[in-house]
Amino acid sequence: MKWFMQFFYEGGWLFMSMVTIAALAMLVFFGIALGKRTDPKRAQFYLTITNDLGLLALMIGLLGQIIGLYQAMEYIAEMGEVSMQLLAGGIKVSSHTTLYGFFWFIITKLLIVGYRISPFSA
């Protein structure tokens, strides 16, 4: 758990929190879809929202990385020459939000596929 908290804080609280909020909302809507199994039309509606929220988590993660890389490039432009270690460290940190967004996107897809192939789906 300690490594996760370090990963979360290194990624930046703003974008990591936004990805987390989208992921939690995705889980809530997936739970609602599970509750609506007897009404396929309503279940599909909530699965669509679940899918959209998973994609939103991914897009927020990508936006966080792009903004992080832009800020790093501004810093490099001000400093002039920078070491490769500093550059690699900046790229690594900026990738945290993207990795986190991809994680939740994959979870979303696994949940939706699992729902559709389960005997509980309509």
Side-chain angles (χ1 to χ4, degrees):
M1 186 65 163
K2 185 178 178 181
W3 68 269
F4 176 77
M5 293 307 291
Q6 182 179 355
F7 180 82
F8 190 89
Y9 290 124
E10 283 179 2
W13 68 271
L14 179 62
F15 284 99
M16 296 295 270
S17 296
M18 289 192 309
V19 170
T20 301
I21 290 168
L24 291 175
M26 176 272 300
L27 291 172
V28 166
F29 279 99
F30 182 74
I32 293 171
L34 284 176
K36 303 286 184 186
R37 289 187 302 246
T38 56
D39 184 1
K41 210 173 212 182
R42 294 301 293 170
Q44 182 57 43
F45 172 75
Y46 288 110
L47 285 176
T48 301
I49 294 174
T50 299
N51 189 48
D52 291 344
L53 287 167
L55 187 57
L56 179 64
L58 174 61
M59 293 295 107
I60 291 170
L62 287 170
L63 179 64
Q65 180 172 15
I66 291 169
I67 290 173
L69 287 173
Y70 179 80
Q71 290 173 340
M73 295 304 149
E74 272 190 342
Y75 179 73
I76 289 170
E78 287 177 14
M79 296 295 294
E81 290 189 30
V82 237
S83 70
M84 292 303 286
Q85 290 86 3
L86 183 63
L87 182 60
I91 292 171
K92 176 187 167 200
V93 168
S94 74
S95 298
H96 283 51
T97 56
T98 304
L99 288 171
Y100 193 52
F102 264 114
F103 170 78
W104 283 110
F105 180 70
I106 290 169
I107 295 297
T108 302
K109 291 300 179 183
L110 290 173
L111 288 174
I112 290 173
V113 167
Y115 178 88
R116 289 188 176 148
I117 65 172
S118 74
F120 300 114
S121 62

PDB file of all heavy atoms in Angstrom, residues 81-99:
ATOM      1  N   GLU A  81      20.823  23.218 -20.640  1.00  0.00           N
ATOM      2  CA  GLU A  81      21.156  21.796 -20.693  1.00  0.00           C
ATOM      3  C   GLU A  81      20.752  21.097 -19.403  1.00  0.00           C
ATOM      4  O   GLU A  81      20.905  21.642 -18.320  1.00  0.00           O
ATOM      5  CB  GLU A  81      22.658  21.617 -20.920  1.00  0.00           C
ATOM      6  CG  GLU A  81      23.089  22.017 -22.310  1.00  0.00           C
ATOM      7  CD  GLU A  81      24.531  21.638 -22.582  1.00  0.00           C
ATOM      8  OE1 GLU A  81      25.004  20.643 -22.005  1.00  0.00           O
ATOM      9  OE2 GLU A  81      25.144  22.345 -23.372  1.00  0.00           O
ATOM     10  N   VAL A  82      20.238  19.889 -19.553  1.00  0.00           N
ATOM     11  CA  VAL A  82      19.843  19.086 -18.395  1.00  0.00           C
ATOM     12  C   VAL A  82      20.411  17.684 -18.554  1.00  0.00           C
ATOM     13  O   VAL A  82      20.613  17.213 -19.661  1.00  0.00           O
ATOM     14  CB  VAL A  82      18.317  18.945 -18.266  1.00  0.00           C
ATOM     15  CG1 VAL A  82      17.812  19.434 -16.949  1.00  0.00           C
ATOM     16  CG2 VAL A  82      17.572  19.580 -19.376  1.00  0.00           C
ATOM     17  N   SER A  83      20.593  17.036 -17.429  1.00  0.00           N
ATOM     18  CA  SER A  83      21.134  15.675 -17.485  1.00  0.00           C
ATOM     19  C   SER A  83      20.057  14.704 -17.969  1.00  0.00           C
ATOM     20  O   SER A  83      18.861  14.952 -17.831  1.00  0.00           O
ATOM     21  CB  SER A  83      21.628  15.246 -16.097  1.00  0.00           C
ATOM     22  OG  SER A  83      20.536  15.044 -15.231  1.00  0.00           O
ATOM     23  N   MET A  84      20.514  13.603 -18.507  1.00  0.00           N
ATOM     24  CA  MET A  84      19.582  12.573 -18.973  1.00  0.00           C
ATOM     25  C   MET A  84      18.805  11.974 -17.800  1.00  0.00           C
ATOM     26  O   MET A  84      17.648  11.595 -17.961  1.00  0.00           O
ATOM     27  CB  MET A  84      20.335  11.470 -19.723  1.00  0.00           C
ATOM     28  CG  MET A  84      20.927  11.937 -21.053  1.00  0.00           C
ATOM     29  SD  MET A  84      19.688  12.614 -22.167  1.00  0.00           S
ATOM     30  CE  MET A  84      18.881  11.126 -22.672  1.00  0.00           C
ATOM     31  N   GLN A  85      19.436  11.894 -16.627  1.00  0.00           N
ATOM     32  CA  GLN A  85      18.743  11.353 -15.455  1.00  0.00           C
ATOM     33  C   GLN A  85      17.558  12.236 -15.075  1.00  0.00           C
ATOM     34  O   GLN A  85      16.482  11.734 -14.741  1.00  0.00           O
ATOM     35  CB  GLN A  85      19.703  11.233 -14.252  1.00  0.00           C
ATOM     36  CG  GLN A  85      20.749  10.169 -14.405  1.00  0.00           C
ATOM     37  CD  GLN A  85      21.983  10.664 -15.157  1.00  0.00           C
ATOM     38  OE1 GLN A  85      22.093  11.831 -15.528  1.00  0.00           O
ATOM     39  NE2 GLN A  85      22.915   9.757 -15.411  1.00  0.00           N
ATOM     40  N   LEU A  86      17.748  13.545 -15.128  1.00  0.00           N
ATOM     41  CA  LEU A  86      16.662  14.461 -14.797  1.00  0.00           C
ATOM     42  C   LEU A  86      15.533  14.347 -15.825  1.00  0.00           C
ATOM     43  O   LEU A  86      14.356  14.318 -15.467  1.00  0.00           O
ATOM     44  CB  LEU A  86      17.182  15.902 -14.731  1.00  0.00           C
ATOM     45  CG  LEU A  86      16.179  16.968 -14.319  1.00  0.00           C
ATOM     46  CD1 LEU A  86      15.703  16.711 -12.891  1.00  0.00           C
ATOM     47  CD2 LEU A  86      16.815  18.337 -14.412  1.00  0.00           C
ATOM     48  N   LEU A  87      15.898  14.261 -17.081  1.00  0.00           N
ATOM     49  CA  LEU A  87      14.899  14.122 -18.142  1.00  0.00           C
ATOM     50  C   LEU A  87      14.122  12.816 -18.001  1.00  0.00           C
ATOM     51  O   LEU A  87      12.895  12.789 -18.084  1.00  0.00           O
ATOM     52  CB  LEU A  87      15.579  14.191 -19.512  1.00  0.00           C
ATOM     53  CG  LEU A  87      14.672  14.108 -20.732  1.00  0.00           C
ATOM     54  CD1 LEU A  87      13.665  15.243 -20.739  1.00  0.00           C
ATOM     55  CD2 LEU A  87      15.508  14.137 -22.000  1.00  0.00           C
ATOM     56  N   ALA A  88      14.850  11.720 -17.765  1.00  0.00           N
ATOM     57  CA  ALA A  88      14.196  10.419 -17.598  1.00  0.00           C
ATOM     58  C   ALA A  88      13.285  10.419 -16.372  1.00  0.00           C
ATOM     59  O   ALA A  88      12.180   9.853 -16.408  1.00  0.00           O
ATOM     60  CB  ALA A  88      15.228   9.306 -17.485  1.00  0.00           C
ATOM     61  N   GLY A  89      13.723  11.051 -15.290  1.00  0.00           N
ATOM     62  CA  GLY A  89      12.894  11.134 -14.087  1.00  0.00           C
ATOM     63  C   GLY A  89      11.616  11.914 -14.341  1.00  0.00           C
ATOM     64  O   GLY A  89      10.547  11.533 -13.865  1.00  0.00           O
ATOM     65  N   GLY A  90      11.698  12.999 -15.111  1.00  0.00           N
ATOM     66  CA  GLY A  90      10.508  13.788 -15.439  1.00  0.00           C
ATOM     67  C   GLY A  90       9.528  13.009 -16.292  1.00  0.00           C
ATOM     68  O   GLY A  90       8.320  13.068 -16.081  1.00  0.00           O
ATOM     69  N   ILE A  91      10.052  12.268 -17.253  1.00  0.00           N
ATOM     70  CA  ILE A  91       9.175  11.453 -18.103  1.00  0.00           C
ATOM     71  C   ILE A  91       8.517  10.352 -17.280  1.00  0.00           C
ATOM     72  O   ILE A  91       7.325  10.067 -17.442  1.00  0.00           O
ATOM     73  CB  ILE A  91       9.970  10.881 -19.297  1.00  0.00           C
ATOM     74  CG1 ILE A  91      10.375  12.010 -20.243  1.00  0.00           C
ATOM     75  CG2 ILE A  91       9.146   9.827 -20.039  1.00  0.00           C
ATOM     76  CD1 ILE A  91      11.329  11.603 -21.329  1.00  0.00           C
ATOM     77  N   LYS A  92       9.268   9.761 -16.370  1.00  0.00           N
ATOM     78  CA  LYS A  92       8.719   8.695 -15.514  1.00  0.00           C
ATOM     79  C   LYS A  92       7.575   9.231 -14.664  1.00  0.00           C
ATOM     80  O   LYS A  92       6.502   8.624 -14.605  1.00  0.00           O
ATOM     81  CB  LYS A  92       9.820   8.130 -14.623  1.00  0.00           C
ATOM     82  CG  LYS A  92       9.321   7.099 -13.634  1.00  0.00           C
ATOM     83  CD  LYS A  92      10.399   6.701 -12.662  1.00  0.00           C
ATOM     84  CE  LYS A  92       9.783   5.920 -11.519  1.00  0.00           C
ATOM     85  NZ  LYS A  92      10.617   5.905 -10.351  1.00  0.00           N
ATOM     86  N   VAL A  93       7.785  10.375 -14.029  1.00  0.00           N
ATOM     87  CA  VAL A  93       6.756  10.948 -13.164  1.00  0.00           C
ATOM     88  C   VAL A  93       5.532  11.357 -13.980  1.00  0.00           C
ATOM     89  O   VAL A  93       4.400  11.130 -13.557  1.00  0.00           O
ATOM     90  CB  VAL A  93       7.321  12.145 -12.366  1.00  0.00           C
ATOM     91  CG1 VAL A  93       6.219  12.940 -11.699  1.00  0.00           C
ATOM     92  CG2 VAL A  93       8.315  11.657 -11.322  1.00  0.00           C
ATOM     93  N   SER A  94       5.745  11.902 -15.165  1.00  0.00           N
ATOM     94  CA  SER A  94       4.596  12.320 -15.975  1.00  0.00           C
ATOM     95  C   SER A  94       3.792  11.119 -16.469  1.00  0.00           C
ATOM     96  O   SER A  94       2.620  11.259 -16.821  1.00  0.00           O
ATOM     97  CB  SER A  94       5.052  13.173 -17.155  1.00  0.00           C
ATOM     98  OG  SER A  94       5.665  12.386 -18.147  1.00  0.00           O
ATOM     99  N   SER A  95       4.399   9.947 -16.489  1.00  0.00           N
ATOM    100  CA  SER A  95       3.699   8.743 -16.955  1.00  0.00           C
ATOM    101  C   SER A  95       2.782   8.142 -15.896  1.00  0.00           C
ATOM    102  O   SER A  95       1.948   7.292 -16.224  1.00  0.00           O
ATOM    103  CB  SER A  95       4.714   7.686 -17.392  1.00  0.00           C
ATOM    104  OG  SER A  95       5.489   8.164 -18.463  1.00  0.00           O
ATOM    105  N   HIS A  96       2.893   8.569 -14.661  1.00  0.00           N
ATOM    106  CA  HIS A  96       2.073   8.000 -13.589  1.00  0.00           C
ATOM    107  C   HIS A  96       0.581   8.145 -13.867  1.00  0.00           C
ATOM    108  O   HIS A  96      -0.185   7.196 -13.696  1.00  0.00           O
ATOM    109  CB  HIS A  96       2.417   8.651 -12.249  1.00  0.00           C
ATOM    110  CG  HIS A  96       3.683   8.167 -11.635  1.00  0.00           C
ATOM    111  ND1 HIS A  96       4.873   8.118 -12.313  1.00  0.00           N
ATOM    112  CD2 HIS A  96       3.953   7.720 -10.405  1.00  0.00           C
ATOM    113  CE1 HIS A  96       5.822   7.661 -11.527  1.00  0.00           C
ATOM    114  NE2 HIS A  96       5.279   7.403 -10.349  1.00  0.00           N
ATOM    115  N   THR A  97       0.163   9.344 -14.284  1.00  0.00           N
ATOM    116  CA  THR A  97      -1.277   9.544 -14.503  1.00  0.00           C
ATOM    117  C   THR A  97      -1.786   8.689 -15.659  1.00  0.00           C
ATOM    118  O   THR A  97      -2.891   8.161 -15.598  1.00  0.00           O
ATOM    119  CB  THR A  97      -1.598  11.023 -14.777  1.00  0.00           C
ATOM    120  OG1 THR A  97      -0.823  11.476 -15.893  1.00  0.00           O
ATOM    121  CG2 THR A  97      -1.309  11.884 -13.569  1.00  0.00           C
ATOM    122  N   THR A  98      -0.962   8.542 -16.698  1.00  0.00           N
ATOM    123  CA  THR A  98      -1.373   7.722 -17.829  1.00  0.00           C
ATOM    124  C   THR A  98      -1.486   6.253 -17.425  1.00  0.00           C
ATOM    125  O   THR A  98      -2.454   5.576 -17.782  1.00  0.00           O
ATOM    126  CB  THR A  98      -0.390   7.877 -19.003  1.00  0.00           C
ATOM    127  OG1 THR A  98      -0.312   9.259 -19.336  1.00  0.00           O
ATOM    128  CG2 THR A  98      -0.839   7.097 -20.205  1.00  0.00           C
ATOM    129  N   LEU A  99      -0.517   5.770 -16.689  1.00  0.00           N
ATOM    130  CA  LEU A  99      -0.575   4.378 -16.217  1.00  0.00           C
ATOM    131  C   LEU A  99      -1.805   4.143 -15.350  1.00  0.00           C
ATOM    132  O   LEU A  99      -2.488   3.128 -15.489  1.00  0.00           O
ATOM    133  CB  LEU A  99       0.688   4.031 -15.435  1.00  0.00           C
ATOM    134  CG  LEU A  99       1.966   3.873 -16.250  1.00  0.00           C
ATOM    135  CD1 LEU A  99       3.169   3.752 -15.318  1.00  0.00           C
ATOM    136  CD2 LEU A  99       1.870   2.670 -17.147  1.00  0.00           C
TER     137      LEU A  99
END
